[in-house]
Amino acid sequence: MYGDDIDDFGYGGFGGGGGGNFGYGSMRRQHHQRRQFREYYRAYPVREHPDGKFDANFGGKIFMPASALDTLSRLEVVYPMLFQLYNASPESGGKLTHCGVLEFTAEEGRVYLPEWMMETLMLKRGALVEAVNVSLQLGTFVKLQPQSTDFLDITDHRAVLENALRNFATLTVGDIFSIDYNSREYKIAVLETKPSAEGITILETDLSVDFAPPVGYVEPTTRPGNGSAMSSQGSSRPASSMANDIRKREERIKEEMQKNRFMPFEGSGLRLSSKVKADSIRSYASTSDAQDKGEETAATHADNETPVPLDVPIGTLFFGYDLVPAPGSELDSVKDEKQPKFSGEGNVLRARRKRK
């Protein structure tokens, strides 16, 4: 009955309120023209958009014609603009969902929907869908169920969902939406929403998310011989749910990040010169004994020697290099006794003749 293009009817009007009257439908639009936006469009998948809007396929927003924006601007609508999409065909059984609008760049009489939304509404390419402007409550809670156990392979579920849900404006019970992560498509069903049981808006709100076990997920069974899985009364503990598994995995990731995080002012320093800097102060006495015996200095073998505790006389300061006693001090007098002054023979350039 219906062609691929809305122009086949000659009324262009399911989109922009163009010419053509159809009795009861026209009267109903006149009744709601001051209170509510209500139009019929032909639905097409996003991949057929003339501008190639492929990224919008993993989101919850649609493309509408410019005439819809003109009509909405003359109505007292509540922002942000949210719409209820309804498939009234007998085959669908009255399927409906909610969405936001991404752009008003579609051709007149057409809307472009994500593929998951067309599957949820049981819409075929070019089928009629009713778009009604609605106002939804801010969501506080949603329960989701992945449709495959592959969802468990994701490392950080919270970060992936937060990034994916930025492309959504609403969530409706019964939706099975799609997200894209690492070039893979994951389908997730909406089981429950609060405070409204039909649909919520997730724009600028704090949303609590709970997970139901994925389709095909089998809970791990406990072995009777495993003592860690047995309670004090001998009965096995209940198997952990998927939400607990995800929460434990996120805690392990946070602990690893805490261990591997950057710690300032740690490590050893390096010098631009070739001199080796000792890691710790060594005993001056042991260094002096090694020098008296003709051994190499501690700086030469700083990397091979084991550090020893500092052991110097009380009242003596050690700065990491050879001690130079002050002139006139006790240490200076001891040094003078060990090394006598003016020892040896003198030489002259020309010997003097002795006078007779």
Side-chain angles (χ1 to χ4, degrees):
M1 176 178 178
Y2 300 115
D4 288 343
D5 296 329
I6 198 68
D7 294 337
D8 295 342
F9 288 88
Y11 46 81
F14 286 22
N21 295 325
F22 293 90
Y24 175 73
S26 177
M27 294 176 60
R28 184 171 58 178
R29 284 195 297 272
Q30 293 177 3
H31 179 68
H32 291 280
Q33 64 181 357
R34 293 187 178 180
R35 296 182 301 171
Q36 195 174 38
F37 173 88
R38 185 185 299 268
E39 291 291 343
Y40 290 87
Y41 299 99
R42 289 199 177 277
Y44 291 88
V46 169
R47 66 174 181 270
E48 298 186 15
H49 193 282
D51 297 337
K53 305 290 185 177
F54 301 106
D55 295 339
N57 195 44
F58 299 99
K61 300 179 182 180
I62 66 175
F63 295 85
M64 302 183 71
S67 59
L69 177 61
D70 181 67
T71 303
L72 288 166
S73 62
R74 290 184 278 106
L75 298 176
E76 296 180 359
V77 297
V78 179
Y79 289 86
M81 295 183 184
L82 304 177
F83 298 90
Q84 175 185 285
L85 302 180
Y86 178 71
N87 184 6
S89 64
E91 296 81 5
S92 68
K95 293 286 186 179
L96 63 85
T97 187
H98 300 89
C99 65
V101 58
L102 188 61
E103 293 179 0
F104 293 92
T105 57
E107 299 93 333
E108 291 302 323
R110 289 189 177 191
V111 288
Y112 291 94
L113 314 179
E115 292 185 4
W116 70 263
M117 196 175 294
M118 296 192 67
E119 294 176 359
T120 299
L121 295 175
M122 301 178 64
L123 288 171
K124 297 181 179 180
R125 179 181 179 275
L128 286 175
V129 62
E130 182 184 27
V132 182
N133 175 246
V134 295
S135 178
L136 300 177
Q137 294 181 341
L138 289 175
T140 58
F141 173 82
V142 62
K143 188 173 184 179
L144 306 176
Q145 182 185 36
Q147 299 301 290
S148 174
T149 54
D150 295 340
F151 187 76
L152 297 176
D153 298 335
I154 300 177
T155 304
D156 194 347
H157 302 81
R158 184 184 303 274
V160 172
L161 276 178
E162 287 180 355
N163 185 58
L165 292 180
R166 292 175 183 175
N167 300 322
F168 289 75
T170 63
L171 291 176
T172 306
V173 175
D175 285 351
I176 302 180
F177 62 88
S178 299
I179 64 174
D180 177 71
Y181 177 69
N182 281 349
S183 301
R184 293 186 60 181
E185 180 180 356
Y186 299 91
K187 293 188 176 182
I188 303 175
V190 181
L191 302 183
E192 182 183 357
T193 58
K194 293 181 181 180
S196 175
E198 295 181 355
I200 57 174
T201 175
I202 59 174
L203 296 175
E204 298 181 0
T205 182
D206 294 332
L207 190 66
S208 299
V209 181
D210 190 16
F211 289 96
V215 176
Y217 176 74
V218 179
E219 295 282 354
T221 56
T222 57
R223 297 180 181 179
N226 188 0
S228 61
M230 303 294 292
S231 63
S232 59
Q233 298 179 357
S235 60
S236 60
R237 297 177 182 176
S240 59
S241 62
M242 175 197 168
N244 292 333
D245 293 342
I246 294 176
R247 193 175 297 107
K248 291 179 181 179
R249 185 178 300 180
E250 292 179 351
E251 291 177 356
R252 288 197 299 269
I253 294 173
K254 290 180 179 179
E255 291 178 358
E256 293 178 359
M257 295 177 63
Q258 188 74 12
K259 293 179 181 178
N260 298 331
R261 70 173 185 174
F262 172 73
M263 297 296 294
F265 306 108
E266 284 194 352
S268 59
L270 300 176
R271 303 180 65 178
L272 298 177
S273 63
S274 59
K275 296 181 180 179
V276 179
K277 182 179 180 181
D279 295 335
S280 60
I281 299 177
R282 293 169 174 80
S283 173
Y284 171 74
S286 62
T287 304
S288 301
D289 294 340
Q291 291 177 355
D292 294 340
K293 294 178 182 179
E295 298 179 357
E296 296 181 354
T297 59
T300 306
H301 297 280
D303 296 335
N304 299 328
E305 292 185 359
T306 303
V308 296
L310 182 64
D311 186 12
V312 295
I314 299 176
T316 303
L317 299 179
F318 178 65
F319 297 96
Y321 46 83
D322 295 341
L323 178 62
V324 179
S329 62
E330 296 180 359
L331 294 178
D332 188 28
S333 61
V334 173
K335 182 178 179 181
D336 293 340
E337 293 177 359
K338 293 182 180 180
Q339 298 181 359
K341 300 179 180 179
F342 306 109
S343 62
E345 298 179 357
N347 296 321
V348 295
L349 297 177
R350 186 178 61 180
R352 294 182 180 182
R353 296 179 181 180
K354 297 182 179 181
R355 296 178 181 180
K356 294 182 181 180

